[in-house]
Amino acid sequence: MRDLVVLGGSSHPHLTKSICRNLTIEQGQVLSKKFSNGETSIEIEDSVREKDVFIVQSGCGDVNDNFIELLIMISACKIASATRVTAVLPLFPYSRQPDVPHAANITGAPLISTKKDSYTFESTPSTPRPLSRGSSLNQSYFADSLPLSGNNNNNNTSRDGLLERATLNNLKQPQPTKGTYTPRSIVTNSASTNIPVVDAYGKTDNGYKQWVAQNGTLIANLLTTAGADRLITMDLHDPQFQGFFNIPVDNLYSRPLLKHYIKDYIPNYQDCVIVSPDSGGAKRATSIADSLGCSFALIHKERRAKVAKNPPSTYASSSSSSVNLLNSVSTSHTNVVATTMLVGDVKDKVCVLIDDLVDTSYTITRAAKLLKDQGAKYVYALVTHGVFSGDAINRVNKSDIDRVITTNSVPQLDNVSVIGPENFEVLDISRILAEAIRRIHNGESVSMLFDHGW
């Protein structure tokens, strides 16, 4: 293809080569070096002047270094007079931080809402109504204001005449009763009356830590400021993350790829049960279950953490008091209340867990154990982004998951060697990304990839 250049960062070189092989083009040459102090140096060895440049960099490995490397590459291409620079991030970095559980030892920022016991739809005091001719108040008002005389007939005649000549303009408004009135004070900000107690770690009794920065706008501004004109990603953890950008964002779906795997490689897939490990992925799992005609099950969980009611004081006046503070913090216990519930029937069924991202693997391994406890016969785990940080891959290997299927949006070579190719399978997404790049370069529609894949 003419005037198309595909560059790759250091996060996932094999995926970049696969994309270029599907596009039948040569990969652009980039020289990336590290100085002794850790700074990154980028040199574009191919000409990108008046070219349509696509830079492939996944949010895995050393996320911060890889992201800075992507920003420098974007800026270098714009300085070199590239016509358009598109960032291809199969796994978008910093996209799931607001979704961190509210555990006592994990930072997170749930929303604070104020609930009122009762609501009123009346305005206080009520709006006074204008006096009407037939009201009882008018009758009593004129009755009291007319002079009394001995002739009742004359009194009635004069009273009726006055009533007929009365208008709203010359009527006196009723005087309000004198007395004290205090406006009702309605508290709409819980922070003004209920100031949370914060312990030495900056955590409240709700179990989450305050002062957590939301990085969505920052990441979007960094990419656009560096010079990115477009963004390609896959299965954003939160689709609303696209709202942080003021450039086009193509959020590709792995749903067609997972559907084809279920149809082709799971025996009697019509009898299997599609399971969402949490309520957040219910929409993703139900769309696959409805398109395949399979049953659906949901695992509902609640995680609440309660710290000690009397947190240690953060003020220390001497060295001895500071030692006592550290001891009291280290010995304080946290009560975590977790309830898990399975909605659906999985007894003697093949279960397919669908999730977009597995990082520490706590959620999906506990879901697999619950399914086996409820009588599930076999458990598949279909994951779009298999990060498997820390000891997650060992936890998955010892869990009740019988087979793990993920994509190569993140390098999986080491994970396959740990679990084994018979229980760990990797699906290739390079064809989908290559087709998206080809369609964007030629000015064609990308919406077909959302439903049918490639």
Side-chain angles (χ1 to χ4, degrees):
M1 282 177 285
R2 185 179 178 85
D3 296 334
L4 174 64
V5 176
V6 177
L7 305 176
S10 59
S11 63
H12 202 342
H14 295 289
L15 180 61
T16 308
K17 292 180 181 178
S18 299
I19 292 174
C20 293
R21 185 173 61 249
N22 284 279
L23 292 172
T24 64
I25 62 174
E26 292 290 334
Q27 179 181 347
Q29 298 299 316
V30 178
L31 180 60
S32 177
K33 297 183 295 184
K34 289 280 188 181
F35 291 105
S36 58
N37 60 351
E39 294 181 357
T40 302
S41 174
I42 297 295
E43 182 179 350
I44 310 295
E45 297 183 345
D46 291 340
S47 175
V48 295
R49 181 177 295 274
E50 302 298 328
K51 299 292 182 66
D52 193 5
V53 181
F54 292 82
I55 303 175
V56 182
Q57 184 82 302
S58 188
C60 58
D62 296 329
V63 180
N64 296 328
D65 288 344
N66 292 336
F67 187 71
I68 292 296
E69 183 184 63
L70 173 63
L71 296 178
I72 297 176
M73 292 175 67
I74 293 173
S75 178
C77 292
K78 294 299 287 187
I79 294 174
S81 302
T83 303
R84 181 176 61 181
V85 178
T86 303
V88 182
L89 294 97
L91 172 59
F92 197 89
Y94 290 93
S95 62
R96 64 183 294 265
Q97 285 193 0
D99 196 45
V100 176
H102 313 155
N105 56 350
I106 303 177
T107 60
L111 297 177
I112 300 177
S113 60
T114 303
K115 294 183 179 180
K116 295 186 291 186
D117 296 333
S118 61
Y119 295 89
T120 176
F121 298 97
E122 299 290 339
S123 59
T124 304
S126 59
T127 305
R129 299 179 178 178
L131 296 176
S132 60
R133 182 172 297 182
S135 62
S136 60
L137 179 62
N138 289 340
Q139 300 290 340
S140 61
Y141 173 78
F142 284 105
D144 296 337
S145 61
L146 290 176
L148 296 177
S149 61
N151 190 355
N152 292 333
N153 294 331
N154 295 335
N155 292 339
N156 293 333
T157 302
S158 60
R159 185 181 297 118
D160 294 338
L162 288 173
L163 285 175
E164 292 177 358
R165 294 191 302 267
T167 60
L168 293 177
N169 295 330
N170 54 21
L171 287 179
K172 295 182 179 180
Q173 296 294 335
Q175 297 296 326
T177 58
K178 296 182 179 180
T180 59
Y181 173 75
T182 303
R184 184 186 298 275
S185 177
I186 300 177
V187 179
T188 58
N189 183 11
S190 60
S192 61
T193 58
N194 186 17
I195 300 176
V197 180
V198 181
D199 63 0
Y201 293 107
K203 300 174 184 176
T204 64
D205 56 356
N206 290 328
Y208 71 91
K209 190 175 181 180
Q210 296 179 333
W211 319 296
V212 178
Q214 305 299 332
N215 302 317
T217 307
L218 176 62
I219 297 299
N221 291 338
L222 287 174
L223 288 170
T224 54
T225 304
D229 301 302
R230 197 180 187 98
L231 184 70
I232 300 176
T233 185
M234 175 172 283
D235 277 357
L236 278 173
H237 188 70
D238 188 359
Q240 296 178 352
F241 200 85
Q242 303 174 61
F244 290 115
F245 292 88
N246 54 5
I247 59 175
V249 177
D250 294 311
N251 182 25
L252 304 178
Y253 298 148
S254 64
R255 186 187 311 126
L257 197 65
L258 302 181
K259 284 166 54 179
H260 282 293
Y261 181 87
I262 294 175
K263 285 182 179 180
D264 298 336
Y265 297 99
I266 295 182
N268 300 323
Y269 72 91
Q270 296 89 347
D271 299 330
C272 71
V273 181
I274 307 297
V275 183
S276 175
D278 52 13
S279 58
K283 185 177 180 180
R284 183 185 311 107
T286 51
S287 63
I288 296 178
D290 293 341
S291 61
L292 296 175
C294 301
S295 302
F296 171 73
L298 171 67
I299 295 178
H300 175 69
K301 61 183 177 181
E302 285 186 347
R303 289 174 291 189
R304 296 291 183 268
K306 296 293 184 181
V307 299
K309 293 298 182 180
N310 296 322
S313 175
T314 58
Y315 299 98
S317 58
S318 62
S319 59
S320 60
S321 61
S322 61
V323 173
N324 295 332
L325 171 64
L326 295 177
N327 293 334
S328 61
V329 170
S330 61
T331 57
S332 62
H333 298 284
T334 303
N335 297 324
V336 179
V337 179
T339 59
T340 307
M341 178 190 310
L342 175 64
V343 182
D345 184 18
V346 298
K347 188 175 183 180
D348 297 330
K349 297 288 184 68
V350 175
C351 297
V352 181
L353 285 165
I354 303 291
D355 206 353
D356 64 327
L357 189 145
V358 171
D359 188 2
T360 58
S361 74
Y362 281 107
T363 299
I364 200 165
T365 52
R366 291 172 181 173
K369 182 179 184 303
L370 179 61
L371 293 176
K372 285 295 185 72
D373 293 341
Q374 297 296 323
K377 183 169 56 176
Y378 200 88
V379 177
Y380 290 88
L382 268 68
V383 181
T384 304
H385 306 295
V387 179
F388 300 112
S389 60
D391 61 341
I393 195 66
N394 296 325
R395 189 179 298 107
V396 171
N397 192 22
K398 297 179 181 179
S399 67
D400 292 323
I401 300 175
D402 298 298
R403 191 173 181 84
V404 179
I405 300 95
T406 184
T407 67
N408 60 343
S409 63
V410 175
Q412 303 291 346
L413 184 60
D414 295 337
N415 299 331
V416 174
S417 62
V418 172
I419 296 183
E422 64 279 357
N423 295 326
F424 194 96
E425 192 166 355
V426 182
L427 306 179
D428 188 17
I429 63 171
S430 62
R431 294 189 62 199
I432 301 177
L433 296 175
E435 182 62 17
I437 291 174
R438 187 193 69 82
R439 287 175 174 269
I440 292 173
H441 176 67
N442 294 333
E444 302 175 11
S445 175
V446 190
S447 59
M448 190 206 69
L449 299 177
F450 297 155
D451 299 325
H452 304 287
W454 193 254

